[in-house]
Amino acid sequence: MTAISIDHVSRSFGTVRAVDDVSLEVRDGEFFTLLGPSGCGKTTLLRTIAGFADLTAGQIRFGERRIDTLPPHRRNTGMVFQNYAIFPNLTVDGNVAYGLKARSVPEAQIKERVARALKLVHLDGYGERWPHQLSGGQLQRVAIARCLVIEPEVLLLDEPLSNLDAKLRVEMRAEIRQLQQSLKITAIYVTHDQEEALSMSDRIAVMRSGRLEQVAAPQDIYRAPATPFVAEFMGTTNLLTGTVTGRDGDITRIGVGQREFRAPSRASNGESLTFSLRPETVRLLAPGEAAPAGWATLHATLARVEFLGALTRLELDLGGGTTLRVASLDVLPGALATRGCVVAAYDPRRVTVFGGR
Amino acid sequence: MIAVSRRDTFPLAITVLALAFLSLFLLYPLLKVFGASFLDRTGTSFTLANYTRMLSSSFYLGSLYNSLLMGVLATLVTTAIGVPLAFCLARLPIPGKSALLALAALPLVLPSFVAAYALVLLLGRAGIVTRFLRDIGIPFTSIYGMTGLTVVFALTLFPFVVFPTLAAFKAVDISVEEAGQNLGSSRWRTFWTVTVPIVMPAVLAGALLVFIEAIESFGVPFVLAEDKPILAVEAYKLFVGELGGNPASAGVLGVILIVCTALALLLQRYYLGKRRFSTAARRTPPELVVAPWLRRLAAGYSWGIVLIALVPFFAVIVISFMEFRGPVMHPNLSLNNFRDLLNQSSRPLVNTLTLSSAAALLAALIGVPIGFAVTRFRSRISDFLDIVAMTPFAVAGTVLAIGLVISFNSGWLVLTGGWLILVLAWVVRKIPFNVRASAAILHQIDPSLEEASINLGVSPLMTFIRLTVPLMIGGVIGGMVLTWVTVASELSSTVVLYSGPWATMTVVMFQALEGTGAGIASAAATVLIVVTVLPVALVYRLLRRHELGMM
Ligand SMILES: Nc1ncnc2c1ncn2[C@@H]1O[C@H](COP(=O)(O)OP(=O)(O)O)[C@@H](O)[C@H]1O
Ligand SMILES: [Mg+2]
């Protein structure tokens, strides 16, 4: 078990700053995810830890020990690659035993440890198989077993599920999480899929153009995004900009087009504010229904309804070119029946305001 | 590409060792050749006298002219034959196409001077066909000179144009062509405006190979040029011929030859640098549906060219089983030629077999790590290594051999008179092929496999040995066989470097050419053909045609 400390790390390729002055503390036994759009530098940061990319500046430590000066084969990290990187010329056993042989572990012990590792990833009995006889999900399990068997200090996973189909992806992410929990191994997981990140991680770092936007636990990062970028990246949201028009206690009124929104902020009148309102926090009121206490309401026209089974997505026209997205698990038929005019309600405390105080 | 840590010494070690080897056995000898051409008789002060002397001689100026003319004619005719053939093979239904493709690759491994010699046996002054024509009253002088040279080069070098062009025709994404037609252009217009620009770089690359092979060739002009001076041949004659031992003059011709090939390479680089094409074909173009007469014409043309190219080799084999009395052939079957060949000595055959094996092994041992270093670890020094490793391609065998002799016939390292100098010359000449071939194999191997191994705690050196080499082994063996086959019939540096007991089969044949031993020469040629075709046929499945194309 190892804490990882990434200290002002930069890595440039020519003029591209792939990783730009990143500092992070990953805790012992933590499942830590690097999340961001393609090209934001996640892989590069992971590879600086594994030793496949040199640092342009900064330091990396496992516990107190500085490791960025070590060659990659002496860092004792276990890396799982996006394309599995299973050795095609070796059997499953051969693949899993590969790292042990390099460490000159006695033959009998190798056998036992390989069997244990395969069991851990539910591949007992597959040792004799050749890689080309396995499915994508099985190959990924072999890759994980091959890493775990050498008992690395940290597990590094670079989009390990992106080549699997949707159903398997959901199964595997639970499995990987469970495995990590039971072994209490420190893991850094790279993905561009926010749902994957939210479901698996202890903490998430959102990256953008080589820099960290926000580091926080899944709930916090979703509910209290630090920047508009994080708000949008973590899922569909209404990102709106308006001008402060007044205040009721600690709730500020913000004029957007012809409507007024309410949000927690201390900004003064006339100031411009950007805020995020998640679609699922907005509710349509049934005709005649009163809004819960403390909630704000908006009158709107229903512009579009998209029925997705469990979920229904709505688009409300607020006039003046402003639309409001609403997501609801259970839309009251009555609300839709009124086609045209609807009343939307939201809790101002669920609005995230950026900038301002 | 693996971006391994700066602290990693393995790729650096490969690069340094490879550069040391190439410096000693390639760059230093070349420097010596340049030195010889630019130094006065005392060997101490710089002079241009050698150049003014050689270039004011109409004979040697003529050799430059002839070499260039020979190169240009060979290139034009070969391209004119090869491009339509490539198109037929890529886009038209030809019966027996896979057999045809295999046969079309054969001239790449068969020794071209044997084809030249066969042409002399058939169409030379006392040739079988010549005499037959004369007997029935058709005046036919002979095949010597530019005509013969061009014919032999076209018949032996056409695969250099065909295979890259064929690949390019197949790489044209059909949707690009369809898009062209969809936009309302006719089939022909689409061909000229869409297909041709995509194929052109491949044609040019092939044409350049033909040009360089032709002007560097020693054996073919030696057999066929007769009284026309040719650079490579005159350099040889000045260096070891009857007049003998004139390294300064030979050096001048050698330098001129290098300048010609280097200029051609630069020209091609300049052109290709501006229009790099890459079409990752998602859909290979289907065979075209054409009228039956056109199909028959295409089949006749394709099979015709490929079979005609093999006729000289068949002819030599047949002739070697004929009875010779002196230079005159009699139409009786006999094994006398082979008996005479082996009675002389079986040593040359043994030399060819053993030395070629040593060279193939060494070329792989040096070439594969270089290919690994230049593909997997890009840096300024490995880019430099890449260029140096490609240099032998632009150096005629004759010139390299002259350089090796000047460099290693005295001083701290004496190699002349032994077998090692032959092996070293062959290895150096085959380094570009070995590097290119292993780079091509490595491009098929995902670098993350090697990273996974390193990540599991195996050092880069051990990863190369335990993982990369086993993954490459099939291709490496294929490359070794091709190296073996081509050095077994290497002539241009061998005739300069062999000595005493270290004559090879090509030397025997070469000596027989100079004398009157047509019987022995054809028997030696037959042995060479068997020695080259047999191993290639045995490992054909291992070899991919694009590897042949890189010879
Ligand atoms: N080996 C490399 N050479 C040059 N540029 C690179 C290299 N690797 C990554 N980059 C660049 O660095 C940036 C970050 O890449 P990467 O870390 O792969 O992003 P991600 O994994 O988040 O998609 C990109 O702009 C990419 O083009
Ligand atoms: Mg990535």
Side-chain angles (χ1 to χ4, degrees), chain B residues 429-488:
Chain B
R429 293 204 70 195
K430 284 292 142 196
I431 290 269
F433 164 69
N434 276 271
V435 170
R436 279 284 152 266
S438 42
I441 304 165
L442 279 164
H443 280 304
Q444 314 275 331
I445 300 174
D446 191 334
S448 63
L449 290 178
E450 286 146 39
E451 289 182 343
S453 164
I454 293 171
N455 181 255
L456 290 169
V458 181
S459 72
L461 169 65
M462 289 312 290
T463 293
F464 179 68
I465 293 171
R466 290 184 44 176
L467 181 72
T468 316
V469 168
L471 287 174
M472 292 177 75
I473 200 72
V476 170
I477 290 174
M480 277 170 68
V481 170
L482 288 181
T483 306
W484 193 93
V485 155
T486 43
V487 299

Side-chain angles (χ1 to χ4, degrees), chain A residues 13 16 18 37-44, chain B residues 1:
Chain A
F13 295 104
V16 179
S38 164
C40 71
K42 310 176 295 286
T43 296
T44 305
Chain B
M1 177 178 60

Side-chain angles (χ1 to χ4, degrees), chain A residues 49-62:
Chain A
I49 301 169
F52 294 122
D54 274 328
L55 303 187
T56 313
Q59 291 189 359
I60 301 173
R61 282 184 299 276
F62 288 173

